[in-house]
Every structure is written in C-alpha cells, then in structure tokens.
Amino acid sequence: MWIYEKKLQYPVKVDTCNPALAAMLLEQFGGADGELSAGIRYLTQRWTMPTDRAKGLLTDIGTEELAHWEIIGTLAWKLVKDASEEEIKGTPFEAHYVNHGKSPFPHDAAGVPWTAAYIQSKGDPIADLHEDMAAEQKARTTYEWLINISDDPGVIDTLRFLREREIVHFQRFGEALMIVQEDLDSRKFY
Amino acid sequence: MWIYEKKLQYPVKVDTCNPALAAMLLEQFGGADGELSAGIRYLTQRWTMPTDRAKGLLTDIGTEELAHWEIIGTLAWKLVKDASEEEIKGTPFEAHYVNHGKSPFPHDAAGVPWTAAYIQSKGDPIADLHEDMAAEQKARTTYEWLINISDDPGVIDTLRFLREREIVHFQRFGEALMIVQEDLDSRKFY
Amino acid sequence: MWIYEKKLQYPVKVDTCNPALAAMLLEQFGGADGELSAGIRYLTQRWTMPTDRAKGLLTDIGTEELAHWEIIGTLAWKLVKDASEEEIKGTPFEAHYVNHGKSPFPHDAAGVPWTAAYIQSKGDPIADLHEDMAAEQKARTTYEWLINISDDPGVIDTLRFLREREIVHFQRFGEALMIVQEDLDSRKFY
Amino acid sequence: MWIYEKKLQYPVKVDTCNPALAAMLLEQFGGADGELSAGIRYLTQRWTMPTDRAKGLLTDIGTEELAHWEIIGTLAWKLVKDASEEEIKGTPFEAHYVNHGKSPFPHDAAGVPWTAAYIQSKGDPIADLHEDMAAEQKARTTYEWLINISDDPGVIDTLRFLREREIVHFQRFGEALMIVQEDLDSRKFY
Amino acid sequence: MWIYEKKLQYPVKVDTCNPALAAMLLEQFGGADGELSAGIRYLTQRWTMPTDRAKGLLTDIGTEELAHWEIIGTLAWKLVKDASEEEIKGTPFEAHYVNHGKSPFPHDAAGVPWTAAYIQSKGDPIADLHEDMAAEQKARTTYEWLINISDDPGVIDTLRFLREREIVHFQRFGEALMIVQEDLDSRKFY
Amino acid sequence: MWIYEKKLQYPVKVDTCNPALAAMLLEQFGGADGELSAGIRYLTQRWTMPTDRAKGLLTDIGTEELAHWEIIGTLAWKLVKDASEEEIKGTPFEAHYVNHGKSPFPHDAAGVPWTAAYIQSKGDPIADLHEDMAAEQKARTTYEWLINISDDPGVIDTLRFLREREIVHFQRFGEALMIVQEDLDSRKFY
C-alpha cells in the first residue's frame, strides 16, 4: 500500500501561460511511453519476479514514476490554469478543453486515451526486464522531443530532471537483468 | 508523491487454486469499474477541485484505491501461482496465460486492456463528484457480481471488505458534493 | 422500435462557415459525454430496470438523445458544407477531412472514434441511475466548454437549448433514483 | 427526430435459458457487423448523400436497424434473465456477468466494446453505398454463423427474419448505388 | 513468404519540407482506409477463399498494398526529414513529433493508432469480396481528399498513381466476385 | 517493395482438429507480441535508422516476420478447417467463429483486435533497438506459453522453430545496437 506525502518530488516552476505546450506535455501524462505507462507497468510486473530484490526495485521505481506522473500533471495544469478561452482557441489544447476543461487527462498529445496495450507483463522476468529497459529508453526519447519544442525555462528544467531519472532507471534495470539472468542461468534459455 | 509501505491494506487469504476465478477477478484489476479506474480517476481530478478539502479527499481515496488494486492483483496471483498448465487449459484464464503467463495484467475479465476511456475528468467539480459517486456504485456492483460467482471463502472475505470500502467512499463523495455545491452556489448553474 | 419524423427537435441556424468550430462540436457527436453516448447508454440499460416507469423514462430520454445527436450532426455539417479546401487547411478539421470529407463522424474533437467503453450498464438500477445522473452533469459541462469557445450566435443558441435539456434529464433521473430506491429498500444495500 | 413505438418489429420467442448463447448473440448487439454498427453507420452517412431519395433510404434502413438492435438485446436478455449464478459459471457469459450482470451491453461475443472504427462515412456517396452493401453482406454472414451454433427454435426463427432483412437492405443499397452513379455520372470518376 | 526487392514500386519525389502535409499523409499509413488496412485485410482473407485464383488475387493485391504502404511512409518521411523543430511547432505534426520524432507511425492523420477493427474477414467469400470492393472505394476517396489539400507537385503525382491503382483493384475484385458467385451459385444464398 | 514466393518459410503439419488451440494460437497472429506486431514494428522503424546496415537488418527481419505471420495463420486455419459447429461450440473459438467463421483474424487469444499501440517507433535508433530486443524476448515468451498448452506434435514442432528464430533475431538486434551505439557515441547520451 502507499502513503501520500504532500509534496512534489521535484519543484515545478512554470514561466508562461502556454496551452499548446500543455497539450504536448500530456504525452507524458497519458501517452505510450509516459509516466502512467511506467508506473502501472512496473507495479504490475512485481508478482512474477523471482527475487525480493527485483520485486523491491520494481516497487521503488514504479512508485517514483507515480510521483513523476504527478509532476507532469502539475506542469500541464500550471501552463493552462490562467488561460482565457481566447488563448486556448486555435491551439492544440482546444480539443482537450471542450472535453476536459483545464483538467489534465491521461491521453497523449494527440488526445488518444491511455491504454494498457502500451505496456506488457509477460510472467517471464527476462522478458519483463528487457521491456523495462526499452521503456526507459523510450521515455528518455520522449523527454528529448519535448525539450526540443519547449521554450519555457522552468518547464525545460523539470523535463531535464525527469529525463535524467529515466537514464538512472535504465541502468538499474540493466543491473537487475544481469542478476536475474545469473540466478536463472542453470534452468532457462533466452 | 507517494511512499510505499510494504504491507497490504487488508490480508489476502486464498483457499484454492482456481484459474477461472483469477480470470474473473481481473475485472477489478483492469476492468471498467475496477480499482485502477478508481485510482487514476480520482488522482487526475485533483487539480481543478475548488477547495483543499476536496483535493485532499480525492488524494486520500485515490491513494487507497491503489492499495485495493494491489490487493486484487495479489488475489489473482495467489489463485494461479501453483496451477499447472493442465489446470489452466479449458478455463477462461487460458487466453490470459498465453499472453501474460501467470502475471496479473490490467485488462478486464474478458481480456480487454484497460483504457482511460473508462474514466472522466471534466474540469468541473460538480460533474466530477457525480462521476465519482457513480463510479463507487458501479464498483460496488462489480463486487456483488464477483461475490456471487466466488466460492472461495478467503476470496469472498476480501471482496466483502473491498465492497464495504466503496460504500464508504460513495458517502464521502456525497458529502463533498454538498460542500462544493454550497461553495459554488452563488456563481454556477447545475 | 422507432419511427422517424422528418424534422429536427430544435431548429438549427448557423451563421458562419467555420470548420474549426465544426471539429470541436463533433465532441458531442462522438465524444465521451456526447449525445451518442447518452442515447446508447440509456437504451441499453432498459432491460434490467425494475419498474415500467423507469424503463419508460430511459426509453424517452434515450430516444430524445438520438434527436440531439442528429441536431449536433446537422450543426457540424452546416458549419463546413460550403467550406473550400483552402478554408479547411490549417484548421483542426483538416485531419477529419482527409478521412471523412465533410461528413460528420462519431469521433470526438480530437478524432478518437466513439467507443462503448465510455458508457456503462451494470444490471443494477441504483448504479445505472447514478451513472445516468453523472452522464448528464458531464454532458452539461461539455456544452459549457463548447459555448465558451463558440462565437456563432446560431450555434450558441442551439447549444444552450441542448444544455438545458441535460439539466432537465438530470432532474428526472434524480427523481427516478428516489423512486427505485424506495422500491428496492427492503431487499438491497447501497 | 424519432418517436418510440412500444413494440418490437418482430416477436421474440426464446425457448431456453442459455447464457452461452446469449453471449454469442451479443455479437450482433455490439460487434463489428452488428445492428448498432448498421444503425449508426447509415444515420451518419445521410448529410453528404446527393439526393433526397438516398437520404431517405439511409434514414429508413438506419431506423430499422435500431429496431433490430432492440430485438437482439431482447433475445440476449430473455436467454439469461432467469439464469442462476451456477448456470452462468463456466459459460462464456461469465466474464460479461461480472461486469454487466444480466444487462445486454454493446460489445461483441468476445467482450470487446463497440467502436466507431467498425464503420465508415467518407463524404463520398459511391464509397458509402459500397460500404453499406458490404456491411449487409457481413451482417448476413454473422447471422448464418449464429444460426449454425443455435439450437433454440425461437432464437433461430428470429435470426432468420433478421438475416432476410439484411438481404433486402443489400438489394436496396444496390439500387441506390445505380441511381446515384447515374446522377453523378457526368462529373465524377469512380 | 515474401522477398524484399530494394526499390519502391513508384518513384517518390517531394518538392517541399512540409510537416503539416506529412501529418495528413499518415492517414494512408495507419488510417482506417489506408494501405496497411488494405494489405492486412487481403492477406488475412486468403485461407477461406474457395478457388486458387481468388487466393492468388488476394495475395497479389495484398502484397502490392504493402509496397504502397512503403511509398506513403517514404513520402511522409521526406516531407519532414529536414524540418527544424521551429518548422514543426504549431503544425499538426507536433503531437506526432513528441511521441515518434520524425519516424512515420501507423496512426491516422489525427494520431489514432491503427486497429484491426478497421478491417474484416468473415470466412465467407461473397462478404469478403464486397468488403474489398468497398475498401478500394474508400481508399480512392481518401486519396482524393489528400490530393485536394496537397500543393506539392511531387506528392500529388504519387497520390494520383496510388489512386489509380485502387480503381484497378476495385475492378479486379468485382471480376473475382462474379467468378466466385458463379462458382458458389448452386449451394449458397446471398 | 515485396515479391511473394508461393511457399511457407517452414512446413506446417497439424495432427488434430482443435478449435481451442486455434483460438490460442491467434495470440501470435494478432496479439501484443505476435508476428504482426513484429513485422509492422521493424518495417516502420527503418526510415530513421542511421546506417544502411541497420535499415537492412530491420527490412530483413521485418520481412521474415511477415512469413511467420503467414505460418501462424496457416496453423490456426488447419486446426479448424474441418471442425463441425458441434466441435466449435463450447470452445474459446466459438466467439471468433460467430464473427469471422473459420478465417484467421488479427486479434489476440481473447479476441481483442490488433492495435498499433502494441508497437513503437521513436525516431531514436537506440530506443528503437531496445524496443526490438524486448519485442523478441516477449515473443519468445509467448511461444513458450503456447508450447506449454499445446499437445499437437506438428504444432509444437512449428512453434519451436518460430521460438528459435526469435532468439536469433534478439541476438542480431543486440549486435546492431552495439554498432549503432559506437556510431553515435560522440554526439549522443543514452
């Protein structure tokens, strides 16, 4: 079970009102390689992991991804909360607005609702840890594309922090893969 | 952000190996009115709530629903972890098994992956709290259908606990709705 | 069964050619809380309602929602039927146009096809009537967001009419809920 | 707009309690080529048809398909309304039951929710009428597969009636195609 | 099985850098009536066709559609490969970019991922060949809408070639339908 | 472009009529980690790969996966082509049959239509090659689960061949990753 601590994992500063950028950031709130995908994926894979250490790693990183998901929601919210309807019209946020107002929603930048088809849990630790390493690489890439189209310094600072975390997670999943592979070595092919 | 506490909110006892029942319980792991829907819905609606009390309520209940999601995953896992392939064949769990092995996965009892289309966040507190009250009624109903087809005493005990929590949440959302309605009364129609 | 009467429930006047607004209005033609969701939801819930009065109410409102769906389609059509390709290019209607030309289509403002995942029918009258009250609140909200971004007086007039009808339906579902609850009171918990 | 007439287009007699057959019949309630697909498809295509006669044909057949949808829902309902939980367990209806109780729901026989991706409206009358002729052939085929696995005489009688109607619709769309093609002959390629 | 030949079926010339047009062309890369739908549909229908000639026709056209899919991907790629982030921002390609960078992806112009719900294979040759004729008409229409919004001469030239191929396929499916109908005439109704 | 060679990459022998097994094998015809996912994924990622060798590898393996997709379709078809309706009733193939008759269809073992949400192409070669290595591990796992529930010797022989190919592909993607990483080493972080 989880306990909520009333703070963000990393401070969120937003320098502009920018509905178009808010729409793009929702890619990481509800897109294929976003933070919701990450959190749900890792927390789902825990039951079939062969060692407590691997279970613990998935729990830790999965829980941290929920905190990142909260950060992205806060970024998107701060970018639109003071926007007038005139500022929203003509931007890619408009289609979001007529459905969800200014609330974040777990869909991608194009407005496609999040689906568990984005994630996988195979009941095989080797396959799952490769899935997780790939997931971190894909999330890293999304952050790079988002940084490339952002010009709000506060947003860029937070996105850089989140990108760094994905690289750290990638490395930790790589280490876990080596340990699990050694553990399984005598009884499995892969 | 969240902190993980290494225990289940309610003890999970499973008396049988029962892949068919595991398949049905996944309705609450990744189905329309399941615990994942509940958690993601409430945590998403927080930003546009007008009062700290309403935000806090959504955070509290949303966080608890994640704990329930973990309970359901544990139930499903315990019902299949010792099943042989022969015990799985011919049951509704077989289609799950060829994709996910014995790992839980956020799809419904029929195997349809979870989609954010199941939930809503409108950016309007009155609409969102009605959505939440309806969600609790629907989750209560799913638990009743699941209890009706279960004959494992340990599973039934846990499902009864979870059903009770939905009724409590329904009441708390009803109270929040009254408070928010009073708060908004002078400036809004509904 | 239904009989078609060759008129709209409410007159549709459109003052401008406006493909961008047409794209946004499709939210109510095929979006989560649009008129198709409403019609299909209520007509699906009829079989398990406990009283003829509740069945009749769902039939009446469900049938009226189909008429609203037709109104929205007519609004969207009138906003684009005389648009040249040059007027469509660069607007959010362009992605719709390359797939569906100028025909309305049951997708939302972002272009996501309608899915029955948006609606629910639980086989439990209390849960279903709460679902219906929430649905009306959500549809009311969508109409408010649409009115906020519209500047065509004819469109706004029709949207206001439709918003009013949702409020009336909300009240009627609330009354039905009270009656059904009394009817079920001796044999059910909720 | 539509007016509801309180009768079924064709009488529904069901001779058995048969949850498995109910699950299969839902293919025509919410499957790819079912009655909901038909109704929504034809009613959506009306705005861009070039002649009043073609619009009227789509309205007539679309309205009739809604009546067929109601017939299928009634069939499915009558096949399960008296089933005990014991009769439901172990059948393909069980996954439906834990989500929707005994209410019909617009998903297919496998439980996949209806999506507007099943239908098309291209804004081109020649393409749309070919789509419609194909739709009737596909619906005819589904009725044949359903008749093949049914052994309830009342159900089979109704399915045969519905299959016959699809063949009639196919012919009427073929005639409409010839008329529209002649009408467009001087200005269009196809 | 297939052998890859390292050339495009038709030369692809692109005269401009145009991310907005790239986004629209993806309709034929991963949209409802695009080349992926065509290829997968025809190749899937082969097993239940009654004659070798019909199987061969589906194989030939299905294989050609994969070549068309490759052409569309190349068109989209060439329209964006030299685009700066500044040229992408504010265009409908931006939501694609934050997820997929400059790589083509099988989603439609609005960004909705391709789904097999767009296609059908009924196990009935008459129904399937009608489906195929409709598919070609719908693909023809999409090409017309795309040509209407294109102003790049090289792109238009390729789109015209692809539209012509759909018309040829439509005719070949029509001939196959006549042959199959004659073949089945003594034992089937349709 | 592709040329069809009229043979299967590996001979398909099926020893039994077994609709239930056919239903399960469709997991690899249209499931998350099946052969269609593999083929479409690799062929989509080619445009943004930095070297001709990497593009060629994706083309080769993507083309081979289409051949595997054809093998799986042939397996599923041979397992049901002689089945009577009585043999189909009561098996998990029944829901497939009422929609698609005996034709294979790109959905998973539970009947969920294939969606491009299962695959990714990020426009970043490092991320894409990790995605591909994970994909091969996941496909390998699915083959192991399928082998575990199969008792038809001919089917098992073919599944073993296909599993072996996934392991070879995994190794080749690993080698490609090393080469691409070296190639990019001076200008990229990962």
Side-chain angles (χ1 to χ4, degrees), chain A residues 28 30 47 73 75 83 103 105 123 130-131 148 154 160:
Chain A
Q28 287 302 79
W47 286 278
L75 274 177
S103 175
F105 192 78
H130 274 100
E131 157 93 352
N148 286 353
R160 282 197 181 129

Side-chain angles (χ1 to χ4, degrees), chain C residues 97-179:
Chain C
Y97 172 78
V98 298
N99 190 355
H100 308 292
K102 293 177 176 176
S103 175
F105 192 77
H107 59 54
D108 69 8
V112 179
W114 192 82
T115 161
Y118 292 141
I119 69 172
Q120 189 49 293
S121 183
K122 294 299 290 184
D124 176 292
I126 302 300
D128 283 355
L129 288 166
H130 275 100
E131 157 93 353
D132 301 342
M133 290 172 70
E136 296 295 341
Q137 285 292 336
K138 293 186 284 181
R140 169 192 61 75
T141 304
T142 304
Y143 280 121
E144 292 175 19
W145 304 144
L146 285 171
I147 290 166
N148 286 353
I149 56 106
S150 297
D151 40 25
D152 180 306
V155 170
I156 290 172
D157 175 66
T158 305
L159 296 178
R160 282 198 179 129
F161 165 76
L162 293 168
R163 188 195 60 189
E164 284 306 307
R165 295 303 300 157
E166 310 300 18
I167 296 170
V168 170
H169 296 166
F170 172 74
Q171 291 163 340
R172 294 190 67 194
F173 284 128
E175 292 156 16
L177 177 60
M178 279 192 293
I179 292 166

Side-chain angles (χ1 to χ4, degrees), chain F residues 35-60:
Chain F
E35 301 293 355
L36 187 61
S37 291
I40 304 303
R41 177 191 286 113
Y42 305 145
L43 297 173
T44 294
Q45 292 174 351
R46 295 179 294 162
W47 286 279
T48 53
M49 278 291 145
T51 67
D52 280 349
R53 194 168 155 187
K55 285 181 208 205
L57 180 68
L58 286 166
T59 302
D60 287 353

Side-chain angles (χ1 to χ4, degrees), chain A:
Chain A
M1 64 180 291
W2 288 265
I3 293 156
Y4 187 73
E5 189 177 8
K6 201 179 167 177
K7 67 170 187 186
L8 293 174
Q9 192 201 357
Y10 189 83
V12 166
K13 271 169 291 178
V14 162
D15 297 284
T16 50
C17 171
N18 192 337
L21 185 53
M24 294 306 123
L25 288 181
L26 291 177
E27 185 68 34
Q28 287 302 79
F29 195 73
D33 305 311
E35 300 292 356
L36 186 61
S37 290
I40 304 304
R41 177 190 287 113
Y42 305 145
L43 297 173
T44 295
Q45 292 173 351
R46 295 178 295 161
W47 286 278
T48 53
M49 277 291 144
T51 67
D52 279 350
R53 193 168 156 187
K55 285 181 210 204
L57 180 68
L58 286 166
T59 302
D60 287 353
I61 299 184
T63 301
E64 185 183 349
E65 306 289 20
L66 294 180
H68 295 176
W69 182 65
E70 193 182 33
I71 287 171
I72 293 286
T74 306
L75 274 177
W77 163 244
K78 288 197 172 176
L79 283 162
V80 297
K81 73 184 170 62
D82 299 322
S84 68
E85 274 77 14
E86 283 314 305
E87 289 172 298
I88 287 167
K89 282 174 69 170
T91 76
F93 194 79
E94 189 177 6
H96 175 97
Y97 172 79
V98 299
N99 190 357
H100 308 292
K102 293 177 178 175
S103 175
F105 192 78
H107 58 55
D108 69 8
V112 178
W114 192 82
T115 162
Y118 292 140
I119 69 172
Q120 188 50 290
S121 182
K122 293 300 291 184
D124 176 292
I126 302 300
D128 282 356
L129 288 166
H130 274 100
E131 157 93 352
D132 301 342
M133 291 173 70
E136 296 294 341
Q137 285 291 338
K138 294 187 283 181
R140 170 192 59 76
T141 303
T142 303
Y143 279 120
E144 292 176 18
W145 304 145
L146 285 170
I147 289 167
N148 286 353
I149 57 105
S150 296
D151 41 24
D152 180 305
V155 170
I156 290 172
D157 175 66
T158 305
L159 296 178
R160 282 197 181 129
F161 165 76
L162 293 168
R163 188 195 59 188
E164 284 306 306
R165 294 303 300 155
E166 310 299 19
I167 296 169
V168 171
H169 296 167
F170 172 74
Q171 290 162 340
R172 294 190 68 195
F173 283 129
E175 292 155 17
L177 177 61
M178 278 191 295
I179 292 165
V180 168
Q181 261 170 332
E182 281 164 28
D183 185 62
L184 296 176
D185 230 21
S186 53
R187 47 185 160 115
K188 257 283 169 97
F189 45 78
Y190 28 85

Side-chain angles (χ1 to χ4, degrees), chain C residues 32 36-45 118-120 131-132 135:
Chain C
L36 187 61
S37 290
I40 304 303
R41 177 191 286 114
Y42 304 145
L43 297 173
T44 295
Q45 292 174 349
Y118 292 141
I119 69 172
Q120 189 49 293
E131 157 93 353
D132 301 342

Side-chain angles (χ1 to χ4, degrees), chain B residues 13-175:
Chain B
K13 271 168 293 179
V14 163
D15 297 284
T16 50
C17 172
N18 191 337
L21 185 53
M24 294 305 124
L25 288 182
L26 290 177
E27 185 68 33
Q28 287 302 78
F29 194 73
D33 305 311
E35 300 292 356
L36 186 62
S37 291
I40 304 303
R41 176 191 286 114
Y42 305 145
L43 296 174
T44 295
Q45 292 174 350
R46 294 178 297 162
W47 287 279
T48 54
M49 278 291 145
T51 68
D52 281 349
R53 193 169 156 186
K55 286 181 207 203
L57 181 67
L58 286 165
T59 303
D60 288 352
I61 300 184
T63 301
E64 184 183 348
E65 306 288 20
L66 294 180
H68 295 176
W69 182 66
E70 193 182 34
I71 288 171
I72 294 285
T74 306
L75 274 176
W77 164 244
K78 288 196 172 178
L79 284 163
V80 296
K81 72 184 170 64
D82 300 321
S84 67
E85 275 76 14
E86 284 314 303
E87 288 172 300
I88 287 168
K89 281 174 70 171
T91 76
F93 194 79
E94 189 177 5
H96 174 97
Y97 172 78
V98 298
N99 190 356
H100 307 293
K102 292 176 177 177
S103 175
F105 192 78
H107 59 54
D108 68 8
V112 178
W114 192 81
T115 162
Y118 293 141
I119 69 172
Q120 189 49 292
S121 182
K122 295 299 291 183
D124 177 292
I126 302 299
D128 282 356
L129 288 166
H130 275 99
E131 159 92 353
D132 301 343
M133 292 173 70
E136 296 294 342
Q137 286 292 338
K138 293 186 283 181
R140 170 193 57 78
T141 303
T142 303
Y143 279 120
E144 293 176 17
W145 305 145
L146 285 171
I147 290 166
N148 287 352
I149 55 107
S150 297
D151 41 25
D152 180 305
V155 170
I156 290 172
D157 175 66
T158 306
L159 296 177
R160 281 199 180 127
F161 165 77
L162 293 168
R163 187 194 61 187
E164 283 306 307
R165 294 304 300 157
E166 311 299 19
I167 296 169
V168 171
H169 296 167
F170 172 73
Q171 288 162 342
R172 293 189 68 194
F173 284 128
E175 291 156 17

Side-chain angles (χ1 to χ4, degrees), chain D residues 112-133:
Chain D
V112 179
W114 192 82
T115 160
Y118 292 140
I119 69 171
Q120 188 49 291
S121 182
K122 294 299 290 184
D124 176 292
I126 302 300
D128 283 355
L129 288 166
H130 275 99
E131 157 94 352
D132 301 343
M133 290 173 70

Side-chain angles (χ1 to χ4, degrees), chain A residues 32-33 117-118 120 122-124 126-127 130-131 134 137-138 140-142 144-145 163 170 188-190, chain F residues 32-33 115 117-118 120 122-124 126-127 130-131 134 137-138 140-142 144-145 163 170 188-190:
Chain A
D33 305 311
Y118 292 140
Q120 188 50 290
K122 293 300 291 184
D124 176 292
I126 302 300
H130 274 100
E131 157 93 352
Q137 285 291 338
K138 294 187 283 181
R140 170 192 59 76
T141 303
T142 303
E144 292 176 18
W145 304 145
R163 188 195 59 188
F170 172 74
K188 257 283 169 97
F189 45 78
Y190 28 85
Chain F
D33 305 311
T115 161
Y118 292 140
Q120 188 49 292
K122 293 299 291 185
D124 176 292
I126 302 299
H130 275 100
E131 158 92 354
Q137 286 291 338
K138 293 186 284 181
R140 170 193 59 76
T141 304
T142 304
E144 292 176 19
W145 305 145
R163 188 195 61 188
F170 172 73
K188 258 278 168 102
F189 45 80
Y190 28 86

